[in-house]
Amino acid sequence: MGHPYAPAELELPGYVPLQLSQGEILVSYLGASLFVLLAVWLVSGRCGRLSKIDRMLMCWWAFTGLTHIMIEGPFVFTPNFFKKENPNFFDEVWKEYSKGDSRYVARDTATVTVEGITAVLEGPASLLAVYAIASRKSFSHILQFTICLGQLYGCLVYFITAYLDGFNFWVSPFYFWAYFIGANSFWIWIPMLITIRSWKKICAAFQTEKVKTK
Amino acid sequence: MGHPYAPAELELPGYVPLQLSQGEILVSYLGASLFVLLAVWLVSGRCGRLSKIDRMLMCWWAFTGLTHIMIEGPFVFTPNFFKKENPNFFDEVWKEYSKGDSRYVARDTATVTVEGITAVLEGPASLLAVYAIASRKSFSHILQFTICLGQLYGCLVYFITAYLDGFNFWVSPFYFWAYFIGANSFWIWIPMLITIRSWKKICAAFQTEKVKTK
């Protein structure tokens, strides 16, 4: 067999075993994320009179943008990450996550495609959203709405292709719930909330416009 | 071999040859589409003072919505379409189109997923857009924007997965250009134009709101 992933018949010639523990990977990622969230929260408190919701949104967009670029980006552009003799932190992240979805280590086409669109388009766009909210640009809502729709469409493709391809890519129910469902769920419910909020704001803006031009 | 598709090693047990000609299929689809476009154009001219652009958009949304539901819908929910002893028109459409992209007849996961999202979500939403434009709903622009982003994301997934999977799914350069590129290009440049237009309208609405609430 030679690798810890499911299904067992998956062939991964040259696989180099994980060297970091689950705890080391999780603590590093969550620690760095908390640092970003806190930094953006504190800095945003000092620039202008931003509402608490806008400051929370800036934290989310900074976190998700950096995740798309720095975590998902390396996966997209490192096809041989699971074979590297001297794996870096990002290689190890994806070897660990693949326990919840072996399509990453197997380089499934749909998964690579969705991750590519996410890393290349949605990552930079998310960082632009931080700036757009801070400087109250008129495109702020439609930009956030656009990125959220991309994230939601990506999740739809991600889950539907997993279902159609057999739904057997996790080592155990724990990894199914913790990684495949749990980790991804943030990119469903948060974009949904933002989408609903932006949709309402945009409709309200058109109603104001209507009243004004009457 | 037993089938006319590429690559030759593709296995399609039970394949039933095409019974309609390319001309019969194209003339039926284009004829029905022209009928829809003309009908919506004429009816929309009689309901209120709609601008010519809004009436053209209503034609497009009626055409694309019906295509998503009535052409792409049957593909998604008829996995055995290429084996049917008595194929209907829609089975024949996809057997013909597969000359430009055999992933349809091979039931490629990413292709089925994108078509599923398109038929189930974007199809009905496109018909809703016809109504929203006609009745000048405040959600009209954001709805059109949403559907266009879905169509563009779908095209991105469609073309990137084709590239990653080998880019060898067409019978000849003619079918590559006419079907794979030509037919799909309408769902790139038209959504792009509508996206840009809606983006501008939405930003303008926020600027009006800003001025008004000052």
Side-chain angles (χ1 to χ4, degrees):
Chain A
M1 190 162 145
H3 66 71
Y5 306 111
E9 60 266 29
L10 177 67
E11 304 238 353
L12 292 176
Y15 172 74
V16 173
L18 260 164
Q19 284 157 29
L20 296 180
S21 71
Q22 186 189 46
E24 286 167 326
I25 292 173
L26 272 183
V27 167
S28 309
Y29 177 56
L30 295 181
S33 301
L34 265 178
F35 174 81
V36 168
L37 294 174
L38 202 67
V40 175
W41 179 259
L42 292 176
V43 171
S44 66
R46 295 180 166 264
C47 61
R49 296 144 299 159
L50 291 163
S51 72
K52 283 212 171 125
I53 289 183
D54 275 339
R55 288 171 66 199
M56 280 165 59
L57 285 169
M58 286 171 67
C59 292
W60 162 253
W61 288 118
F63 159 74
T64 193
L66 291 174
T67 295
H68 292 337
I69 294 171
M70 294 183 60
I71 305 285
E72 294 168 86
F75 163 74
V76 174
F77 297 104
T78 321
N80 67 336
F81 73 91
F82 65 92
K83 300 185 213 176
K84 281 165 73 176
E85 286 295 335
N86 296 303
N88 61 33
F89 175 74
F90 306 104
D91 302 323
E92 296 287 281
V93 166
W94 292 112
K95 277 150 74 177
E96 176 65 27
Y97 181 80
S98 293
K99 292 178 188 167
D101 187 351
S102 67
R103 296 181 300 163
Y104 278 80
V105 85
R107 217 134 188 98
D108 166 70
T109 304
T111 309
V112 172
T113 301
V114 167
E115 287 292 359
I117 296 171
T118 306
V120 172
L121 297 180
E122 291 157 29
S126 300
L127 299 186
L128 181 60
V130 178
Y131 164 77
I133 296 172
S135 45
R136 300 156 191 277
K137 294 287 181 199
S138 58
F139 64 81
S140 169
H141 285 295
I142 188 69
L143 175 65
Q144 294 181 67
F145 186 80
T146 302
I147 309 167
C148 287
L149 284 187
Q151 292 171 325
L152 291 171
Y153 198 111
C155 284
L156 264 182
V157 172
Y158 180 69
F159 287 116
I160 297 175
T161 51
Y163 174 77
L164 291 177
D165 276 341
F167 225 56
N168 61 340
F169 305 108
W170 28 88
V171 173
S172 69
F174 169 78
Y175 289 102
F176 171 77
W177 289 108
Y179 290 8
F180 184 71
I181 300 292
N184 288 300
S185 66
F186 292 92
W187 282 272
I188 296 176
W189 67 265
I190 298 179
M192 269 192 169
L193 288 178
I194 301 177
T195 301
I196 295 169
R197 175 175 182 267
S198 299
W199 179 289
K200 283 184 186 163
K201 294 260 182 197
I202 288 165
C203 290
F206 275 104
Q207 260 155 358
T208 317
E209 193 187 48
K210 238 186 207 168
V211 172
K212 200 197 161 245
T213 53
K214 247 178 195 163
Chain B
M1 186 164 148
H3 67 72
Y5 306 111
E9 60 266 30
L10 176 68
E11 303 239 353
L12 292 176
Y15 172 75
V16 173
L18 261 163
Q19 284 158 27
L20 296 179
S21 71
Q22 185 189 47
E24 287 168 325
I25 292 173
L26 273 183
V27 167
S28 309
Y29 177 56
L30 296 181
S33 302
L34 265 178
F35 175 80
V36 168
L37 294 174
L38 202 67
V40 175
W41 179 258
L42 292 176
V43 171
S44 66
R46 294 181 168 265
C47 61
R49 294 144 300 156
L50 291 163
S51 71
K52 282 211 170 126
I53 289 184
D54 276 338
R55 289 172 64 200
M56 279 165 61
L57 285 169
M58 286 172 67
C59 292
W60 163 253
W61 288 119
F63 158 73
T64 193
L66 290 174
T67 296
H68 291 337
I69 294 171
M70 294 184 59
I71 305 285
E72 293 167 88
F75 162 73
V76 174
F77 297 103
T78 320
N80 67 337
F81 73 91
F82 64 90
K83 300 186 213 177
K84 282 165 71 176
E85 286 294 335
N86 295 303
N88 62 31
F89 175 74
F90 306 103
D91 303 323
E92 296 287 280
V93 166
W94 292 112
K95 277 150 74 177
E96 176 65 27
Y97 180 79
S98 292
K99 292 179 188 168
D101 187 350
S102 66
R103 296 181 299 163
Y104 277 81
V105 84
R107 217 130 188 100
D108 166 71
T109 305
T111 310
V112 172
T113 301
V114 167
E115 288 292 0
I117 297 171
T118 306
V120 172
L121 297 180
E122 292 159 27
S126 299
L127 299 185
L128 181 60
V130 178
Y131 164 78
I133 296 171
S135 44
R136 300 157 193 277
K137 294 286 179 200
S138 58
F139 65 82
S140 168
H141 286 294
I142 188 69
L143 176 65
Q144 295 181 67
F145 187 82
T146 302
I147 309 167
C148 287
L149 283 187
Q151 292 170 326
L152 291 171
Y153 198 111
C155 284
L156 264 182
V157 172
Y158 180 69
F159 287 116
I160 297 175
T161 52
Y163 173 77
L164 292 177
D165 277 341
F167 224 57
N168 61 339
F169 305 107
W170 28 87
V171 173
S172 69
F174 169 77
Y175 289 102
F176 170 77
W177 289 107
Y179 291 7
F180 184 71
I181 300 292
N184 288 299
S185 66
F186 292 92
W187 281 271
I188 296 177
W189 67 266
I190 297 178
M192 269 192 169
L193 288 179
I194 301 176
T195 300
I196 295 169
R197 176 175 182 267
S198 298
W199 178 288
K200 284 184 184 162
K201 294 259 182 198
I202 288 165
C203 290
F206 275 104
Q207 260 157 358
T208 317
E209 193 187 45
K210 240 185 206 169
V211 173
K212 199 195 163 248
T213 53
K214 252 179 192 164

